[in-house]
Amino acid sequence: MKNFVDAYSWINITYLFKGLLITLEVSIISLLLSFIIGSFLGVIRYSRIKWVSGTVGFIIDIIRNLPLLLIIFFTYFALPKLQIHLSIMQAAISALTVFESAMIAEIVRSGINSVPIGQTEGARANGLTSIQTMWHIILPQAYKKMIPPLVSQFISLIKDTSLATIIVLPDLMYHAQIIYGQNNNYIIPMFLAISIMYFVVNYALSLIARWLDRRLV
């Protein structure tokens, strides 16, 4: 019990929260970027534009089948060899954005495919262009259907930020490692603390998704 009391000192808890803020910052930026890029790529895949859609699909399939850790290593260690120098946070955000964009692109493509073809035909018959049909008719319906898989992917993104510890991103996991690195007796208390923090953040996101799902039905 004494180990828990000492491990959860005000200094250590404050230090953990600083790491949590970094985790949330990286997650939110990556989430927004990957959602925008993934949506764009998903629409391109669905549109079946000659050569373009196939090329985009091929690249997406490659990224989806690569380990995220490999992409993180590439952005931080390999890009400098190409004269592209990124900070630790920039490398982490770039890697997460690339990987999650590929995942979200497939979710968006599947969501668009789930919208009845009659919606497109009706919109075109009423004089809407392809872009107007996609923006005003198809995507709003598709996103409603995509809420559960998108939230699941966003939760995975938040958890995946811990992989960036390997390039010394000062996130929640890294801060916990610093604390129990000073005292091995703090390992279990730290793992328990960060587990609770990850759970609270991800569960809150799940509750928001459920609320949105009810509101949009």
Side-chain angles (χ1 to χ4, degrees):
M1 182 61 70
K2 185 178 185 301
N3 290 335
F4 279 82
V5 173
D6 293 340
Y8 296 148
S9 66
W10 176 251
I11 294 176
N12 287 346
I13 292 299
T14 302
Y15 192 64
L16 281 181
F17 272 105
K18 288 181 180 178
L20 178 61
L21 290 177
I22 297 296
T23 293
L24 292 177
E25 181 180 356
V26 171
S27 298
I28 291 171
I29 295 174
S30 301
L31 187 155
L32 292 175
L33 291 176
S34 60
F35 179 72
I36 294 170
I37 297 172
S39 295
F40 179 70
L41 295 177
V43 170
I44 290 178
R45 288 212 67 183
Y46 171 81
S47 301
R48 298 182 179 87
I49 303 171
K50 188 176 181 180
W51 298 110
V52 177
S53 295
T55 302
V56 168
F58 179 68
I59 295 173
I60 287 174
D61 286 339
I62 291 176
I63 294 173
R64 289 175 65 235
N65 288 284
L66 291 176
L68 175 56
L69 192 58
L70 176 61
I71 299 176
I72 292 174
F73 275 139
F74 181 83
T75 57
Y76 189 67
F77 295 110
L79 287 184
K81 302 297 182 182
L82 302 175
Q83 304 305 312
I84 301 175
H85 300 276
L86 301 175
S87 66
I88 293 174
M89 184 169 289
Q90 290 171 340
I93 291 173
S94 298
L96 287 167
T97 299
V98 168
F99 185 77
E100 297 299 330
S101 293
M103 298 297 184
I104 291 174
E106 284 302 294
I107 294 174
V108 171
R109 183 179 69 85
S110 298
I112 294 175
N113 276 327
S114 70
V115 178
I117 190 64
Q119 297 291 315
T120 300
E121 294 172 347
R124 297 304 302 275
N126 281 283
L128 295 181
T129 64
S130 297
I131 295 177
Q132 289 174 330
T133 299
M134 180 61 68
W135 183 257
H136 295 290
I137 307 298
I138 305 302
L139 282 179
Q141 296 181 67
Y143 279 130
K144 291 179 184 179
K145 300 174 183 290
M146 286 186 273
I147 289 177
L150 281 176
V151 171
S152 178
Q153 195 59 45
F154 292 156
I155 289 174
S156 294
L157 186 156
I158 294 172
K159 293 185 290 186
D160 286 343
T161 57
S162 61
L163 293 175
T165 302
I166 200 70
I167 59 172
V168 201
L169 177 72
D171 67 339
L172 178 58
M173 183 67 73
Y174 180 79
H175 279 219
Q177 290 176 343
I178 294 297
I179 294 173
Y180 68 67
Q182 298 173 354
N183 189 331
N184 288 334
N185 293 324
Y186 294 170
I187 292 179
I188 293 178
M190 285 301 104
F191 281 167
L192 179 61
I194 63 177
S195 295
I196 292 173
M197 289 181 179
Y198 275 120
F199 171 79
V200 169
V201 171
N202 290 323
Y203 188 65
L205 185 58
S206 299
L207 291 178
I208 293 172
R210 292 176 192 172
W211 178 79
L212 285 173
D213 200 21
R214 289 196 300 268
R215 289 292 301 272
L216 295 175
V217 170

